[in-house]
Amino acid sequence: MRLSYPTSIKIIRVPCTGKVDTLHIMRAFEKGADGVYVVGCREGDCHFNSGNFRAKKRVEQAKEILDSIGIGGNRVRMCNLSSSDGPLFVKYAAEMHDCICAAGPNPIKLAARKKATTEAGSTLAASG
Amino acid sequence: MNVKTPSKLEKMLAAGHLAVTSECGPPRGSDPEVIAEKAELLKNHVDAINVTDNQTSMTRMCSLAACIRLKLLGLEPILQMVTRDRNRIAIQSDILGAASFDIHNILCLSGDHQSFGDCAKGQNVHDIDSMQLIQTVRHMRDEGKFLGGDDIKRPPRMFVGAAANPFADPYEIRVPRLAKKIAAGAEFIQTQCIYNLDKFEDWMKKACDRGLHEKVAILAGLTPMKSVGMARYMKNRVPGMDVPDDIVKRLADTPKDKQADEGIKICVESIERLKGVKGVAGFHIMAIEWEEKVPEIVERAGLFPRPSVN
Amino acid sequence: MIVADKKPIEEIIDTVKDFRNILILGCNECVTVCEAGGKKEVGLLASALRMYFLQQGHEVNIGERTLERQCDHEYLEEIRDIIDQYDAVVSIACGVGVQFTAEKYHSKPVYPGVNTLFMGANEARGVWTERCQGCGQCILAVTGSICPVSRCAKRILNGPCGGSAAGKCEINKDVDCAWQLIIDRLKALGRLEEYESICPLKDWSSDRAGGPRKVVREDLKL
């Protein structure tokens, strides 16, 4: 269709969203992702029966954990569409991009940055 | 029927009269006058008074203390005892405490679950259940022994009762359950309050077919309705309660300021009908927080003055 | 099996927030089946804790290990060579595992990561319900194989109580009345007349009331 979506989005392809484990989502954030969204077939249309329902539950699990540790459950979401629905894919991408921009960078990155600056500051102080 | 205890209630039933009992709840505090006042309203119109035991798991003055107070005022208390709050040591101990004040009647119950009351986070005990409590009192009285086997000095002389609900689920074991309580040693029964007279008569018939009415004295429970609101609440919100639609309709069709009177009228009519039912040995009138109406009900039902028994 | 439920992460964080080397120790048996403390849950908890500490600006070493069981010496021995790398252990096994691990590694703090609840069965995906409380004197033979000790809210042995309504317990419409179940089953087995036999007072000395319990099999001791 040659529609464009934001460059901030990195796609990881899976045969079915049922393959996505909660741990995959968690690891993505650990490694610094600002947001994760899982895009699966429309509810009731899962090619493998109920994979997208399992994915939905796992996204909810991740949401709860991310809220409890201060990362923010709003950074993860589940989306459903038909595999041929290009425009909807683009719409979801734009929505996710906007949501994450509003949420700001992953707090882990902020903390790392902060730590680096204080360390740099103290090194300067020590040397200066 | 010869009597086994000095219980006035037992004597009344043994003499062949229809017995009348009522009940009152102890206060949520330590004021002794509350119980005395309620008892004063009832004393000439009933043969014995039940004192409830932390009913609906709301912490109140204990039934035992209130019963002692009634006994000291010259009245005949029925100690209600639930198994929810005490183990078998405390149960035997409380029975002896009651017996030391010559309290001669006990009603053996399980008790509502503590989640209904003001201490929902507490433990429940149920070391023994209500059936086993009946057995325990009979054992202490008739064998004169503790559960542990030792002799009791001055065993309790208590007339043992149990509750029955002809309307509870599952219906098919309602009469077998009555038989079981009799086999455990129950000597009198107080039923849950009756509104569905047809269903009650059916239960009584089945009980009489098995000869149970000759082994135990069944007191029919009654509670006068104060309003159509109360009738609806009891119909829809209270488990094990059977309130027929025509009772609700009858109250609904009555003007609001006359509904209480109509409720009393229904109660009296029920008593009149139940007098003729085989196996009914008396009436247990429960008018919680409306004790002042009990004398009127007893009088209008032709049960006053109470016969005297020595 | 023993059924447990995850503790809130906030609670776990509160117990270990001052440590810098933490081992998350899972168990491959009951808690894996009820998805509270198995290898997957170890991974999730470790990841969550890492991210929490990173936000606080701390470099924390979070180890992950799942043993076959935490209630046997042999399996707990498997971590002897790595345990000293850690200042604290969060065991997400049942209460037995937490304690046995603590007993074996006497001077290492061991914290629980799940709330252990009951012995029960998996009724449906994500639903576990209680069946046994370990009273030590099984009476299932006389109650149609349905336990009034664990399934009746009042542990009544001659039930039902007056609160049974439409087959449900008075405490909650979602809880079956154990005695309704027993009566239905006795009926199905053609043994309803047994209902009238009075169950005698229970000997609770083999239950929790008698104190911590022990089973010794002389025929198995070497």
Side-chain angles (χ1 to χ4, degrees):
Chain A
M1 272 185 210
R2 302 193 190 283
L3 301 160
S4 59
Y5 57 89
T7 50
S8 56
I9 313 251
K10 179 174 168 61
I11 296 179
I12 297 164
R13 294 174 69 166
V14 291
C16 172
T17 48
K19 187 92 179 84
V20 177
D21 197 80
T22 321
L23 198 51
H24 300 140
I25 300 172
M26 296 290 287
R27 291 258 190 268
F29 284 104
E30 253 192 88
K31 294 190 194 297
D34 302 302
V36 174
Y37 67 121
V38 179
V39 185
C41 297
R42 287 186 311 183
E43 290 191 0
D45 281 351
C46 175
H47 188 72
F48 296 102
N49 233 329
S50 57
N52 55 355
F53 286 119
R54 291 180 194 269
K56 184 179 174 182
K57 288 288 177 185
R58 289 169 191 160
V59 166
E60 279 168 26
Q61 233 193 357
K63 218 188 254 290
E64 217 184 294
I65 298 176
L66 293 168
D67 270 332
S68 68
I69 53 173
I71 302 283
N74 58 332
R75 295 179 183 275
V76 65
R77 63 171 67 173
M78 178 84 199
C79 303
N80 301 85
L81 46 60
S82 152
S83 56
S84 57
D85 198 339
L88 188 54
F89 180 86
V90 168
K91 180 166 174 276
Y92 285 153
E95 280 172 7
M96 191 63 181
H97 175 87
D98 292 340
C99 170
I100 299 300
C101 283
N106 184 334
I108 296 177
K109 291 197 298 205
L110 284 175
R113 215 174 290 160
K114 193 169 162 209
K115 192 172 174 206
T117 14
T118 28
E119 278 174 0
S122 49
T123 327
L124 279 171
S127 63
Chain B
M1 210 194 286
N2 49 354
V3 295
K4 298 200 191 107
T5 73
S7 160
K8 186 176 161 210
L9 177 62
E10 191 186 9
K11 288 182 185 146
M12 185 68 69
L13 291 162
H17 302 300
L18 285 169
V20 177
T21 58
S22 188
E23 74 178 26
C24 59
R28 296 205 75 210
S30 64
D31 183 0
E33 289 314 313
V34 176
I35 274 287
E37 280 158 17
K38 288 183 184 176
E40 191 64 29
L41 293 166
L42 301 167
K43 70 176 188 205
N44 296 318
H45 289 77
V46 302
D47 305 320
I49 303 173
N50 286 47
V51 181
T52 57
D53 187 12
N54 294 320
Q55 192 148 54
T56 40
S57 308
M58 293 295 283
T59 317
R60 292 175 180 271
M61 182 196 292
C62 64
S63 174
L64 177 54
C67 283
I68 292 169
R69 188 155 292 278
L70 291 185
K71 185 76 192 187
L72 294 173
L73 289 168
L75 296 149
E76 177 87 353
I78 300 175
L79 174 68
Q80 283 194 198
M81 182 177 279
V82 299
T83 59
R84 176 195 59 230
D85 306 326
R86 349 179 140 69
N87 70 359
R88 60 190 78 177
I89 300 171
I91 281 173
Q92 292 175 92
S93 179
D94 287 354
I95 288 169
L96 292 181
S100 75
F101 282 94
D102 293 321
I103 290 165
H104 293 302
N105 307 288
I106 184 169
L107 190 75
C108 305
L109 306 163
S110 307
D112 300 315
H113 195 266
Q114 68 276 9
S115 56
F116 288 108
D118 64 340
C119 285
K121 292 184 180 176
Q123 286 267 11
N124 55 6
V125 185
H126 297 295
D127 181 7
I128 67 178
D129 59 27
S130 59
M131 198 76 65
Q132 295 158 349
L133 176 56
I134 297 167
Q135 287 180 316
T136 299
V137 190
R138 286 294 302 264
H139 181 76
M140 291 173 77
R141 182 187 89 190
D142 299 337
E143 316 306 318
K145 288 193 196 299
F146 287 103
L147 287 171
D150 292 337
D151 291 334
I152 301 175
K153 298 186 175 51
R154 193 177 183 264
R157 301 179 68 199
M158 284 177 160
F159 188 44
V160 182
N165 189 349
F167 312 102
D169 296 319
Y171 192 65
E172 68 232 281
I173 49 95
R174 282 296 123 197
V175 174
R177 189 156 174 78
L178 177 64
K180 204 170 168 179
K181 289 200 169 170
I182 295 168
E187 298 167 308
F188 74 93
I189 297 282
Q190 289 173 327
T191 74
Q192 177 67 291
C193 47
I194 301 161
Y195 300 100
N196 188 335
L197 293 158
D198 292 333
K199 200 163 181 190
F200 178 74
E201 286 183 16
D202 180 61
W203 180 76
M204 281 304 308
K205 182 170 183 313
K206 292 189 168 83
C208 293
D209 287 344
R210 283 185 62 164
L212 300 177
H213 63 302
E214 284 161 7
K215 298 184 187 165
V216 80
I218 300 173
L219 305 180
L222 294 143
T223 296
M225 291 292 194
K226 270 181 167 170
S227 66
V228 69
M230 179 178 163
R232 286 198 185 110
Y233 180 82
M234 291 182 81
K235 184 181 175 66
N236 300 319
R237 300 293 185 87
V238 183
M241 192 70 66
D242 186 337
V243 182
D245 290 327
D246 50 81
I247 300 265
V248 182
K249 187 173 185 315
R250 185 170 161 179
L251 286 165
D253 291 343
T254 311
K256 198 159 176 193
D257 57 337
K258 298 267 192 303
Q259 282 175 5
D261 289 337
E262 193 67 18
I264 305 241
K265 204 158 161 233
I266 294 170
C267 189
V268 173
E269 286 167 14
S270 302
I271 295 177
E272 290 296 348
R273 179 168 159 186
L274 290 166
K275 276 183 186 175
V277 173
K278 182 179 174 198
V280 171
F283 302 96
H284 178 52
I285 304 169
M286 299 168 271
I288 292 276
E289 303 306 327
W290 212 21
E291 288 85 359
E292 66 269 22
K293 290 293 177 187
V294 174
E296 182 188 332
I297 294 169
V298 174
E299 285 173 22
R300 282 169 64 177
L303 295 164
F304 183 79
R306 298 303 307 140
S308 59
V309 284
N310 49 334
Chain C
M1 63 195 186
I2 296 177
V3 177
D5 201 9
K6 296 186 198 182
K7 272 190 180 289
I9 290 193
E10 294 92 333
E11 195 184 321
I12 299 174
I13 287 173
D14 200 49
T15 40
V16 297
K17 60 184 184 300
D18 297 326
F19 294 102
R20 297 290 173 260
N21 294 283
I22 305 167
L23 174 64
I24 313 293
L25 194 62
C27 171
N28 215 12
E29 298 243 355
C30 306
V31 287
T32 294
V33 182
C34 59
E35 303 194 39
K39 191 170 174 188
K40 272 200 180 171
E41 288 74 37
V42 169
L44 287 171
L45 181 58
S47 180
L49 287 176
R50 258 179 235 121
M51 286 200 269
Y52 168 79
F53 283 116
L54 281 170
Q55 284 182 88
Q56 308 303 114
H58 300 304
E59 270 302 323
V60 180
N61 169 28
I62 313 257
E64 301 177 35
R65 186 67 186 264
T66 303
L67 299 173
E68 193 58 38
R69 284 195 286 286
Q70 290 183 29
C71 48
D72 271 316
H73 290 293
E74 291 86 345
Y75 297 117
L76 280 171
E77 279 299 329
E78 288 174 13
I79 52 169
R80 190 166 289 282
D81 53 347
I82 59 158
I83 192 96
D84 288 324
Q85 297 167 26
Y86 303 100
D87 313 318
V89 179
V90 177
S91 165
I92 54 175
C94 70
V96 178
V98 180
Q99 292 184 66
F100 219 48
T101 306
E103 284 168 42
K104 189 165 269 300
Y105 298 106
H106 188 68
S107 54
K108 194 69 64 183
V110 181
Y111 298 104
V114 302
N115 289 317
T116 308
L117 288 157
F118 52 77
M119 287 185 276
N122 189 197
E123 274 193 27
R125 176 119 183 82
V127 181
W128 293 270
T129 46
E130 185 165 20
R131 287 292 181 281
C132 178
Q133 284 180 4
C135 73
Q137 300 217 14
C138 191
I139 54 170
L140 289 174
V142 300
T143 59
S145 304
I146 292 169
C147 181
V149 175
S150 60
R151 301 194 69 183
C152 171
K154 302 176 184 175
R155 299 191 303 183
I156 289 177
L157 302 178
N158 295 284
C161 75
S164 174
K168 299 296 177 188
C169 178
E170 68 182 19
I171 63 168
N172 193 319
K173 276 194 289 291
D174 297 326
V175 177
D176 289 329
C177 167
W179 277 94
Q180 177 74 59
L181 295 174
I182 292 170
I183 289 161
D184 290 342
R185 199 155 146 80
L186 287 176
K187 215 162 115 183
L189 294 166
R191 285 163 45 190
L192 194 54
E193 72 278 3
E194 286 174 27
Y195 175 76
E196 285 192 38
S197 336
I198 300 173
C199 187
L201 277 69
K202 191 161 174 65
D203 177 0
W204 295 105
S205 62
S206 62
D207 188 68
R208 177 214 65 83
R213 297 165 282 177
K214 193 170 184 169
V215 171
V216 179
R217 289 274 304 278
E218 294 298 337
D219 58 323
L220 296 175
K221 287 168 78 171
L222 293 167

